[in-house]
Amino acid sequence: LYSPLASSLRGGRASKVRDMPVDMKALLARERERRRAAASGQPDAAATTSSSAAATAPVVMAPRRKISLRDFDVGERAGVRGLHYVPDFISPDEERAILAGIHAPGTESRWVRSGRRRVANYGGVPSSSEVTEPPPPFAAALLEAIAAAGIVDERTAPNHVLVNEYVAPAGISPHNDGDVYAPHVAIVTLKGAALMDFWPNDGSVTVDDDRHDCDERDPTPIAQVLLRPRSLLLYTGDAYGLRHGIRHRDVDAVTDRCVNAKVAGADVGDEVERGRVRYSVVFVRKGRG
């Protein structure tokens, strides 16, 4: 693990951008193309180009020591079990290498517009429990570091990765991950910061197209987590069952609901600028057994 870096805090204003629904038709078409290529014994062109390009810029992760998740439990003070935040889980050099892998030549075909963000999906259709391909090199190296640190075990190790690209002020609508990703989700944040809100699960239908903002009409969240660049967030157990989202804005205001403010180097009342772009690498476990 690495020492926390100095915080960069300054004011700003929130703004809105136009919503666009996720292009599930394009996502499904790309998945069908990959499956046809696999069935015919021919390599998929986009996947082959992506793997080849990523191999030219290998991601080398420093050895990890085992950690105790109890030491990184930030949800306890809010009565939320299973909310863990590890600051500076990766180094700046590792972050740059992962970003190079994300943007390796040939990976552009992976990106699909989903509301205010773009998503690159590795492993099959997100809503399906079927896993159709191994993780790309940048994700495999990061996953190995997560496993080596003892954050996940072999039985529940992630086998699917989604990369989200948020250009400020983009966020993500309140949602619940449902059963397909249980029992946990691990998120590594790159380049920019954001404040994630958590609410009790009220049974609302999950919205995938980001049409609904987490705005001031929503109930006060029971917890918030400030996601700093290079940090890792793991939510499992009770925390996994909560609804969560990120508000659409350029600057986040740290409130007394922020359960990791101290470890993230922030104080209540601080305004944290997100930066122009933020990436989240989301690791999940699909399927059972």
Side-chain angles (χ1 to χ4, degrees):
L1 301 179
Y2 299 88
S3 300
L5 302 179
S7 304
S8 175
L9 309 172
R10 67 176 183 266
R13 61 181 180 82
S15 62
K16 301 285 184 179
V17 295
R18 186 178 177 181
D19 300 315
M20 292 179 64
V22 61
D23 189 351
M24 288 302 295
K25 183 177 180 181
L27 183 61
L28 289 168
R30 289 171 190 170
E31 182 61 23
R32 285 195 296 268
E33 181 180 346
R34 275 191 278 272
R35 293 190 185 190
R36 282 196 298 268
S40 66
Q42 297 297 319
D44 174 59
T48 301
T49 304
S50 173
S51 298
S52 175
T56 64
V59 177
V60 179
M61 307 289 289
R64 258 54 181 184
R65 62 176 176 82
K66 291 280 187 181
I67 66 172
S68 171
L69 283 177
R70 180 172 296 182
D71 294 337
F72 299 92
D73 183 346
V74 295
E76 184 176 3
R77 63 177 285 249
V80 178
R81 293 183 297 178
L83 196 56
H84 306 278
Y85 177 83
V86 184
D88 291 292
F89 179 72
I90 62 174
S91 71
D93 285 344
E94 290 170 337
E95 179 185 39
R96 283 189 287 270
I98 293 166
L99 286 167
I102 289 172
H103 293 294
T107 57
E108 188 62 29
S109 63
R110 289 279 184 174
W111 294 99
V112 174
R113 176 65 60 180
S114 179
R116 296 170 169 92
R117 61 196 163 101
R118 293 200 307 163
V119 181
N121 173 66
Y122 298 88
V125 178
S127 60
S128 169
S129 62
E130 184 178 1
V131 178
T132 60
E133 61 181 336
F138 76 85
L142 189 50
L143 179 55
E144 184 177 350
I146 292 172
I151 294 170
V152 297
D153 59 34
E154 184 177 351
R155 182 180 61 85
T156 62
N159 55 14
H160 182 95
V161 61
L162 298 106
V163 181
N164 293 293
E165 179 190 70
Y166 299 88
V167 176
I172 186 169
S173 301
H175 64 283
N176 178 272
D177 290 325
D179 294 334
V180 70
Y181 292 159
H184 51 52
V185 172
I187 302 174
V188 175
T189 292
L190 307 173
K191 205 167 183 178
L195 190 68
M196 180 176 284
D197 292 342
F198 289 85
W199 299 271
N201 187 3
D202 62 1
S204 299
V205 176
T206 294
V207 178
D208 293 326
D209 60 9
D210 294 345
R211 293 178 183 176
H212 304 287
D213 191 4
C214 316
D215 60 27
E216 302 306 325
R217 295 169 296 179
D218 287 312
T220 301
I222 61 173
Q224 296 176 309
V225 175
L226 179 56
L227 304 173
R228 290 287 197 187
R230 297 177 293 282
S231 68
L232 181 143
L233 172 70
L234 176 77
Y235 53 89
T236 186
D238 291 349
Y240 181 87
L242 298 176
R243 294 173 68 244
H244 53 277
I246 296 174
R247 300 173 191 269
H248 304 293
R249 55 184 53 171
D250 292 295
V251 175
D252 287 303
V254 179
T255 76
D256 59 3
R257 299 282 177 164
C258 185
V259 296
N260 71 323
K262 183 176 180 180
V263 70
D267 294 314
V268 174
D270 282 344
E271 292 187 323
V272 181
E273 185 175 343
R274 289 189 180 176
R276 190 187 69 82
V277 63
R278 169 182 171 264
Y279 295 89
S280 66
V281 184
V282 183
F283 291 96
V284 299
R285 173 78 180 184
K286 298 208 307 183
R288 296 293 180 265

